[in-house]
Amino acid sequence: VQTQANPDVASDAVNDLSATSPAPLLAAYRGEATERVPVWFMRQAGRALPEYRAVRARAGLLEITHTPELAAEVTLQPVRRYGVDAAILFSDIVSPLAAIGVTLEIRPGVGPVIASPVRCGRDLDVLRDFEPSEDAPWLAEACRLVVAELQVPLIGFVGGPFTLASYLVEGGPSKAQARTKALMLSDGQTWTRLLERLCAIALASARAQVEAGARAIQVFDSWIGSLSAGQYERHVLGVVRQLFDGLAELGVPRVYFGVGTGHLLELLAQAGPDVIGIDWRVPLDLARARIPAAIALQGNLDPVACLAPEDVLEREVRTVLAGAPERGYVFNLGHGVLPETSPESMSHVVELVRSAERPQAGGAA
Ligand code: CP3
């Protein structure tokens, strides 16, 4: 793993980070007030970075995740360049499925495509137990390589059961999740077995990441917004609660994120996470009023704002910060970094967040 700082990085931003202890990210995830607002970006590693595209030109996405040196390298790239407060392991939510033998491909510009979709009870046989040390030794190895180089916490992640189920049932990305919801509504027994299998797989993956040094786990349940509140409550919440109960044993903060969840916030809180990631549609002060105070918040700049001229971007960042909680808060985007984003605008966001006044800590950090 190359350790030399990227020449584009403001090196004092990186030094600032290493001098800060304990990690502001973890303090904020625990609900504490922090001297400055911690910041990282969902999908911070990836095509927005030329240094990622250079690695990607030589290796496919799954090949990168299966090669610990490459996975570690691309995980560290955004930390070096932006000086963010966390690394997120470079992997994909479907990687554990590939590791247990589900035939899939991750198509650029499309997403995961599954060769034989899951449509009935018999199709569940492919979802055997995931044994990370045998099925995916690269996972822990990549975490260890990253942690050895890193001054900020590594966030591990897993896919939420509904979101993974949607890829398996649809066979690929889908807007309406029609087949998934049809299965959910019509065959409760298969549905519950499917979600419980995915929950067990996610738990095994999270455990391996934490044992190898990840200090928080984020559950990406990106597509739950396609469910009504009643559907989520009846058909998904129970398994997600099992997932968060299981994750609690790992002793690290647990973040729950989905897109289009404005109608679900109270239910997401009932699933039992320590932190909820808010998408860009709901202002943070409104989210704060609806989510119990013990749960920290993360979010929620519209990723599209990063494509706008600098003055617009500044205004949008300040609007998010103005509505943000005074404690228990981590700045992030409301969804992932768009591939067409310029790295300079992401650096600018980090600077803006870093220089923000913190009411409780009495001024700029
Ligand atoms: O920096 C990071 O955030 C870590 C890496 C990461 C990837 N996928 C790598 C990746 C993370 C956290 C994910 C999670 C993931 N994967 C989610 C949840 C987050 C979200 O965006 O809602 C989902 C839904 C997936 C499934 C998936 N994989 C999608 C929708 C795509 C995008 C398809 C595209 O090309 O636009 C992928 C592919 C993928 N996963 C890429 C990366 C960097 C881009 C493709 C590539 O480099 O070939």
Side-chain angles (χ1 to χ4, degrees), residues 43-45 47 52 56 91-92 106 109 111-112 167 220 222 335:
R43 308 290 294 267
Q44 63 191 15
R47 283 169 298 179
Y52 171 78
R56 188 66 181 74
S91 179
D92 197 86
I106 300 183
Y167 283 110
F220 281 99
S222 303
H335 197 184

Side-chain angles (χ1 to χ4, degrees), residues 46 54 65 71 82 89 92 129 131 160 192-193 197 219 221 238-239 242-243 251 272 274 281 290 313 319-320 341 362:
T65 65
Y82 303 133
L89 181 68
D92 197 86
D129 284 344
E131 307 281 2
T192 303
R193 278 178 56 215
R197 295 306 306 142
V219 176
D221 215 352
V239 178
Q242 278 177 37
L243 176 58
D274 302 298
R281 294 173 178 86
R290 289 172 50 197
L313 176 58
T319 304
V320 170
T341 308

Side-chain angles (χ1 to χ4, degrees), residues 14-351:
V14 174
N15 292 337
D16 266 342
L17 281 173
S18 50
T20 314
S21 127
L25 178 94
L26 300 176
Y29 277 173
R30 285 191 298 262
E32 293 164 20
T34 50
E35 230 170 90
R36 56 178 184 73
V37 177
V39 49
W40 68 279
F41 304 118
M42 291 187 281
R43 308 290 294 267
Q44 63 191 15
R47 283 169 298 179
L49 291 179
E51 57 269 35
Y52 171 78
R53 293 196 300 268
V55 174
R56 188 66 181 74
R58 292 185 271 124
L61 184 101
L62 287 175
E63 191 184 343
I64 296 175
T65 65
H66 295 178
T67 312
E69 291 74 18
L70 292 182
E73 167 60 23
V74 296
T75 300
L76 291 166
Q77 284 172 348
V79 183
R80 290 189 201 117
R81 185 186 269 268
Y82 303 133
V84 278
D85 289 283
I88 179 156
L89 181 68
F90 190 84
S91 179
D92 197 86
I93 55 169
V94 297
S95 293
L97 302 179
I100 59 168
V102 175
T103 307
L104 63 86
E105 187 194 335
I106 300 183
R107 285 197 198 141
V110 177
V113 176
I114 311 277
S116 311
V118 169
R119 298 279 159 80
C120 65
R122 260 195 341 217
D123 297 337
L124 296 184
D125 293 347
V126 294
L127 297 178
R128 64 164 173 84
D129 284 344
F130 177 40
E131 307 281 2
S133 59
E134 280 154 43
D135 299 324
W138 60 83
L139 180 68
E141 187 52 27
C143 291
R144 283 192 286 267
L145 288 177
V146 170
V147 167
E149 299 274 334
L150 201 62
Q151 260 113 29
V152 294
L154 172 66
I155 300 173
F157 72 91
V158 296
F162 176 82
T163 298
L164 287 177
S166 85
Y167 283 110
L168 283 170
V169 176
E170 303 294 333
S174 153
K175 279 217 165 74
Q177 320 289 355
R179 283 176 183 273
T180 312
K181 290 168 69 174
L183 177 71
M184 176 185 89
L185 295 172
S186 60
D187 184 352
Q189 208 185 352
T190 301
W191 178 251
T192 303
R193 278 178 56 215
L194 171 59
L195 261 53
E196 284 177 347
R197 295 306 306 142
L198 293 170
C199 175
I201 290 166
L203 273 174
S205 173
R207 179 176 296 278
Q209 293 174 68
V210 171
E211 285 173 354
R215 297 176 71 193
I217 290 287
Q218 177 154 323
V219 176
F220 281 99
D221 215 352
S222 303
W223 311 138
I224 44 174
S226 68
L227 297 171
S228 74
Q231 289 169 340
Y232 180 82
E233 186 170 22
R234 273 192 298 280
H235 303 290
V236 178
L237 175 60
V239 178
V240 179
R241 206 182 266 140
Q242 278 177 37
L243 176 58
F244 279 103
D245 283 350
L247 291 174
E249 289 171 21
L250 304 179
V252 300
R254 303 153 304 152
V255 187
Y256 192 25
F257 171 77
V259 181
T261 56
H263 58 303
L264 300 176
L265 293 180
E266 290 80 3
L267 294 169
L268 304 191
Q270 285 177 34
D274 302 298
V275 186
I276 294 181
I278 309 293
D279 92 345
W280 70 92
R281 294 173 178 86
V282 180
L284 290 174
D285 53 342
L286 297 185
R288 184 67 289 172
R290 289 172 50 197
I291 292 172
I295 298 178
L297 300 188
Q298 175 171 281
N300 72 346
L301 180 71
D302 190 333
V304 167
C306 302
L307 307 181
E310 203 172 277
D311 57 324
V312 177
L313 176 58
E314 285 177 13
R315 187 189 68 210
E316 296 297 310
V317 171
R318 295 215 161 91
T319 304
V320 170
L321 288 168
E326 290 175 2
R327 55 180 63 242
Y329 172 59
V330 172
F331 189 97
N332 205 311
L333 304 182
H335 197 184
V337 176
L338 296 167
E340 59 268 43
T341 308
S342 82
E344 292 70 32
S345 64
M346 302 315 295
S347 296
H348 193 46
V349 173
V350 172
E351 275 167 38

